[in-house]
Amino acid sequence: PQSRNETNVFEGIRGLKMAYEQHIDGLEKNESASVMVFVGSEFSQSRELRNFFSEVVDKKMIQKHCRSNMIANKSVHAVIKKDRPDLSLYTIKYLSPQFTLPYALNISRKEVMISVWGESPIVFTIKNPTVVQAFQKNFDHLWSIAKKN
């Protein structure tokens, strides 16, 4: 039998930050997570969010010895390199800028987190093994066609 589903919704910048912190806190030590970052200008133009990811998310991942396979669109390549001088946490592959959509997807062993960015972001988290497996399978397919540069 499948364990109970758990879903949550977070709204606004504060909600987005809270969702990401909870997601990272939920990672097991040495866990490898999968991340798709299709955001463009929503990320590039928000110094607050960029600082949050480099100062909070990355630091928590370092403390837990976690790594991540990240798929991003080519349009945020320069920003990621500039904001995150220590990219050892991430193995990054890129898809063409046509994949620029205002959302990111984070997949851990236990949870899928979908964040839709914009003026008032909204984040959905889903804890369900079937959902996690389905999103991971889709991620793995995109990973196979994404390019290193």
Side-chain angles (χ1 to χ4, degrees):
Q2 185 173 301
S3 58
R4 187 179 147 316
N5 292 327
E6 183 183 322
T7 59
N8 291 292
V9 179
F10 301 82
E11 295 184 57
I13 296 292
R14 263 185 69 216
L16 181 124
K17 289 178 177 181
M18 187 184 309
Y20 272 87
E21 287 196 61
Q22 287 180 14
H23 184 75
I24 300 301
D25 288 344
L27 293 176
E28 296 168 23
K29 190 176 168 108
N30 299 313
E31 182 171 347
S32 183
S34 301
V35 180
M36 281 196 295
V37 186
F38 288 154
V39 294
S41 61
E42 308 84 9
F43 179 72
S44 303
Q45 295 169 8
S46 176
R47 190 83 211 128
E48 178 187 4
L49 283 177
R50 288 170 39 211
N51 284 342
F52 169 73
F53 282 97
S54 58
E55 296 297 316
V56 177
V57 172
D58 288 2
K59 282 192 170 112
K60 283 181 177 243
M61 286 185 64
I62 289 166
Q63 289 168 352
K64 292 187 138 197
H65 303 280
C66 293
R67 294 191 38 77
S68 181
N69 285 337
M70 178 188 291
I71 298 173
N73 63 59
K74 211 56 175 138
S75 68
V76 294
H77 182 254
V79 174
I80 289 173
K81 277 206 173 325
K82 187 175 94 176
D83 285 358
R84 294 174 154 153
D86 177 12
L87 287 172
S88 64
L89 287 173
Y90 302 97
T91 302
I92 305 174
K93 287 187 173 184
Y94 296 92
L95 291 172
S96 75
Q98 76 189 33
F99 284 94
T100 302
L101 301 164
Y103 92 95
L105 174 69
N106 296 61
I107 307 163
S108 69
R109 287 184 193 143
K110 295 182 241 166
E111 178 180 67
V112 169
M113 182 173 70
I114 303 162
S115 50
V116 182
W117 298 43
E119 217 171 287
S120 183
I122 187 163
V123 181
F124 305 93
T125 61
I126 306 164
K127 288 183 182 172
N128 170 292
T130 304
V131 172
V132 168
Q133 191 176 19
F135 275 92
Q136 186 64 54
K137 190 172 181 181
N138 186 54
F139 178 91
D140 293 343
H141 172 69
L142 287 173
W143 183 258
S144 74
I145 62 172
K147 307 277 187 251
K148 282 277 189 189
N149 288 331

